[in-house]
Amino acid sequence: RYSFTGREKAVKNMNKLYMKYLASDARVREYYFELSGILNGFISDSLGIKGEMTDGELLNLIKNENNKFNKYSDEILSLFEKYDKIKYTGQTDSDGREFFVDLMRTRDLIEKIQI
């Protein structure tokens, strides 16, 4: 039985999220909650963490220079800050292009991380 890697799960979940985004007129901030969860889950799965960690807890963990995500920590922090800004203020562009850009930034980051 084939088991998906953390990267494959994350990309599959982002593809589902994008299809949901295209098919719906739901508020974009809800998609940022889901996108944040996908990146959080990818990092947690890759580190073998069982259970949920907050984004802040994950960021503290990856800031450790021995952590395999350390060299990406600034980029990951930037994404989580962007997600949080929109998740908690709801301030984003009205046509959703900004979400597409952030979705692609997240996918590109996940695909380039070699773990």
Side-chain angles (χ1 to χ4, degrees):
R1 176 167 137 67
Y2 182 77
S3 174
F4 288 101
T5 66
R7 176 179 290 116
E8 289 169 332
K9 282 186 226 171
V11 170
K12 185 176 75 153
N13 288 334
M14 279 190 286
N15 288 338
K16 279 200 250 182
L17 176 59
Y18 183 61
M19 295 310 290
K20 192 187 317 181
Y21 159 73
L22 289 176
S24 168
D25 60 356
R27 296 187 331 195
V28 172
R29 70 186 275 206
E30 294 169 18
Y31 297 130
Y32 277 93
F33 276 98
E34 199 167 332
L35 189 57
S36 179
I38 290 169
L39 183 57
N40 183 312
F42 168 70
I43 295 168
S44 297
D45 284 352
S46 299
L47 295 174
I49 296 169
K50 301 295 179 222
E52 293 201 16
M53 291 186 88
T54 66
D55 297 346
E57 291 169 331
L58 268 185
L59 287 167
N60 284 335
L61 191 64
I62 65 175
K63 285 181 184 173
N64 179 324
E65 63 188 41
N66 296 322
N67 190 293
K68 55 189 163 189
F69 285 94
N70 179 264
K71 74 179 191 176
Y72 305 102
S73 63
D74 289 344
E75 199 171 348
I76 292 168
L77 173 64
S78 168
L79 284 168
F80 278 132
E81 285 176 342
K82 177 74 181 286
Y83 303 157
D84 285 350
K85 175 184 157 263
I86 294 170
K87 284 176 1 187
Y88 299 113
T89 68
Q91 295 175 339
T92 184
D93 63 343
S94 58
D95 65 5
R97 258 181 274 156
E98 186 176 14
F99 173 74
F100 179 75
V101 168
D102 292 332
L103 182 77
M104 293 299 103
R105 279 180 61 206
T106 305
R107 193 188 72 188
D108 291 346
L109 172 69
I110 287 173
E111 289 181 342
K112 81 178 176 185
I113 291 176
Q114 298 302 312
I115 44 171

